[in-house]
mmCIF file of all heavy atoms in Angstrom:
data_model
loop_
_atom_site.group_PDB
_atom_site.id
_atom_site.type_symbol
_atom_site.label_atom_id
_atom_site.label_comp_id
_atom_site.label_asym_id
_atom_site.label_seq_id
_atom_site.Cartn_x
_atom_site.Cartn_y
_atom_site.Cartn_z
ATOM 1 N N LYS G 328 149.851 267.090 202.534
ATOM 2 C CA LYS G 328 150.516 268.429 202.447
ATOM 3 C C LYS G 328 150.415 269.230 203.672
ATOM 4 O O LYS G 328 149.481 269.255 204.452
ATOM 5 C CB LYS G 328 149.804 269.185 201.196
ATOM 6 C CG LYS G 328 148.365 269.476 201.399
ATOM 7 C CD LYS G 328 147.932 270.099 200.079
ATOM 8 C CE LYS G 328 146.378 270.442 200.279
ATOM 9 N NZ LYS G 328 145.785 270.968 198.954
ATOM 10 N N PHE G 329 151.501 270.118 203.779
ATOM 11 C CA PHE G 329 151.497 271.011 204.976
ATOM 12 C C PHE G 329 151.492 272.533 204.446
ATOM 13 O O PHE G 329 152.252 272.786 203.516
ATOM 14 C CB PHE G 329 152.867 270.787 205.771
ATOM 15 C CG PHE G 329 153.045 271.678 206.933
ATOM 16 C CD1 PHE G 329 152.318 271.534 208.051
ATOM 17 C CD2 PHE G 329 153.940 272.787 206.779
ATOM 18 C CE1 PHE G 329 152.607 272.475 209.193
ATOM 19 C CE2 PHE G 329 154.199 273.638 207.912
ATOM 20 C CZ PHE G 329 153.560 273.461 209.010
ATOM 21 N N THR G 330 150.686 273.226 205.059
ATOM 22 C CA THR G 330 150.481 274.685 204.637
ATOM 23 C C THR G 330 150.921 275.558 205.739
ATOM 24 O O THR G 330 150.684 275.461 206.929
ATOM 25 C CB THR G 330 149.070 274.924 204.309
ATOM 26 O OG1 THR G 330 148.563 274.059 203.246
ATOM 27 C CG2 THR G 330 148.818 276.455 203.752
ATOM 28 N N TYR G 331 151.718 276.667 205.345
ATOM 29 C CA TYR G 331 152.132 277.719 206.236
ATOM 30 C C TYR G 331 152.198 279.051 205.532
ATOM 31 O O TYR G 331 152.230 279.064 204.297
ATOM 32 C CB TYR G 331 153.401 277.369 206.883
ATOM 33 C CG TYR G 331 154.576 277.176 205.832
ATOM 34 C CD1 TYR G 331 155.497 278.215 205.811
ATOM 35 C CD2 TYR G 331 154.728 276.016 205.045
ATOM 36 C CE1 TYR G 331 156.575 278.109 204.811
ATOM 37 C CE2 TYR G 331 155.864 275.921 204.082
ATOM 38 C CZ TYR G 331 156.735 277.032 204.028
ATOM 39 O OH TYR G 331 157.669 276.931 203.090
ATOM 40 N N LYS G 332 152.455 280.103 206.139
ATOM 41 C CA LYS G 332 152.659 281.400 205.644
ATOM 42 C C LYS G 332 153.875 282.007 206.118
ATOM 43 O O LYS G 332 154.086 282.260 207.316
ATOM 44 C CB LYS G 332 151.418 282.275 205.822
ATOM 45 C CG LYS G 332 151.419 283.616 205.036
ATOM 46 C CD LYS G 332 150.125 284.188 204.960
ATOM 47 C CE LYS G 332 150.083 285.349 204.058
ATOM 48 N NZ LYS G 332 148.762 285.941 203.862
ATOM 49 N N LEU G 333 154.814 282.362 205.210
ATOM 50 C CA LEU G 333 156.100 282.926 205.518
ATOM 51 C C LEU G 333 155.771 284.432 206.036
ATOM 52 O O LEU G 333 154.946 285.186 205.478
ATOM 53 C CB LEU G 333 156.994 283.039 204.440
ATOM 54 C CG LEU G 333 157.490 281.605 203.940
ATOM 55 C CD1 LEU G 333 158.206 281.793 202.536
ATOM 56 C CD2 LEU G 333 158.559 281.182 204.933
ATOM 57 N N LYS G 334 156.598 284.834 206.960
ATOM 58 C CA LYS G 334 156.499 286.281 207.436
ATOM 59 C C LYS G 334 157.920 286.951 206.985
ATOM 60 O O LYS G 334 158.740 286.277 206.881
ATOM 61 C CB LYS G 334 156.445 286.309 209.001
ATOM 62 C CG LYS G 334 155.299 285.502 209.538
ATOM 63 C CD LYS G 334 155.154 285.891 211.146
ATOM 64 C CE LYS G 334 156.296 285.430 211.920
ATOM 65 N NZ LYS G 334 156.372 283.930 211.979
ATOM 66 N N PRO G 335 157.799 288.240 206.925
ATOM 67 C CA PRO G 335 159.032 288.968 206.497
ATOM 68 C C PRO G 335 160.183 288.595 207.557
ATOM 69 O O PRO G 335 160.064 288.735 208.673
ATOM 70 C CB PRO G 335 158.614 290.364 206.567
ATOM 71 C CG PRO G 335 157.220 290.389 206.302
ATOM 72 C CD PRO G 335 156.676 289.181 206.862
ATOM 73 N N GLY G 336 161.292 288.226 207.003
ATOM 74 C CA GLY G 336 162.410 287.814 207.793
ATOM 75 C C GLY G 336 162.573 286.265 207.944
ATOM 76 O O GLY G 336 163.639 285.790 208.288
ATOM 77 N N ASP G 337 161.571 285.599 207.520
ATOM 78 C CA ASP G 337 161.702 283.996 207.418
ATOM 79 C C ASP G 337 162.458 283.621 206.253
ATOM 80 O O ASP G 337 162.244 284.175 205.227
ATOM 81 C CB ASP G 337 160.282 283.480 207.405
ATOM 82 C CG ASP G 337 159.535 283.498 208.729
ATOM 83 O OD1 ASP G 337 160.166 283.819 209.888
ATOM 84 O OD2 ASP G 337 158.288 283.236 208.726
ATOM 85 N N ILE G 338 163.325 282.630 206.435
ATOM 86 C CA ILE G 338 163.956 281.885 205.239
ATOM 87 C C ILE G 338 163.648 280.459 205.411
ATOM 88 O O ILE G 338 164.080 279.741 206.293
ATOM 89 C CB ILE G 338 165.503 282.077 205.314
ATOM 90 C CG1 ILE G 338 165.875 283.525 205.256
ATOM 91 C CG2 ILE G 338 166.112 281.309 204.213
ATOM 92 C CD1 ILE G 338 167.361 283.884 205.462
ATOM 93 N N VAL G 339 162.853 279.927 204.484
ATOM 94 C CA VAL G 339 162.606 278.414 204.382
ATOM 95 C C VAL G 339 163.620 277.815 203.600
ATOM 96 O O VAL G 339 164.137 278.234 202.471
ATOM 97 C CB VAL G 339 161.185 278.122 203.922
ATOM 98 C CG1 VAL G 339 160.949 278.639 202.419
ATOM 99 C CG2 VAL G 339 160.818 276.695 203.978
ATOM 100 N N THR G 340 164.327 276.700 204.216
ATOM 101 C CA THR G 340 165.376 276.094 203.527
ATOM 102 C C THR G 340 164.838 274.631 203.399
ATOM 103 O O THR G 340 164.400 274.042 204.273
ATOM 104 C CB THR G 340 166.687 276.080 204.382
ATOM 105 O OG1 THR G 340 166.413 275.392 205.625
ATOM 106 C CG2 THR G 340 167.035 277.549 204.653
ATOM 107 N N PHE G 341 164.933 273.923 202.209
ATOM 108 C CA PHE G 341 164.438 272.656 202.005
ATOM 109 C C PHE G 341 165.170 272.018 200.906
ATOM 110 O O PHE G 341 165.860 272.445 200.027
ATOM 111 C CB PHE G 341 162.933 272.652 201.671
ATOM 112 C CG PHE G 341 162.588 273.546 200.533
ATOM 113 C CD1 PHE G 341 162.459 272.972 199.216
ATOM 114 C CD2 PHE G 341 162.272 274.896 200.588
ATOM 115 C CE1 PHE G 341 162.102 273.715 198.092
ATOM 116 C CE2 PHE G 341 161.986 275.642 199.419
ATOM 117 C CZ PHE G 341 161.799 275.015 198.295
ATOM 118 N N ASP G 342 165.080 270.590 201.003
ATOM 119 C CA ASP G 342 165.744 269.634 200.045
ATOM 120 C C ASP G 342 164.962 269.652 198.766
ATOM 121 O O ASP G 342 163.796 269.094 198.650
ATOM 122 C CB ASP G 342 165.559 268.279 200.709
ATOM 123 C CG ASP G 342 166.298 267.255 199.930
ATOM 124 O OD1 ASP G 342 166.603 267.404 198.869
ATOM 125 O OD2 ASP G 342 166.562 266.089 200.454
#
Side-chain angles (χ1 to χ4, degrees):
K328 63 183 179 180
F329 176 78
T330 303
Y331 63 102
K332 190 164 185 174
L333 291 169
K334 303 189 300 292
D337 285 345
I338 300 175
V339 63
T340 66
F341 58 92
D342 182 348

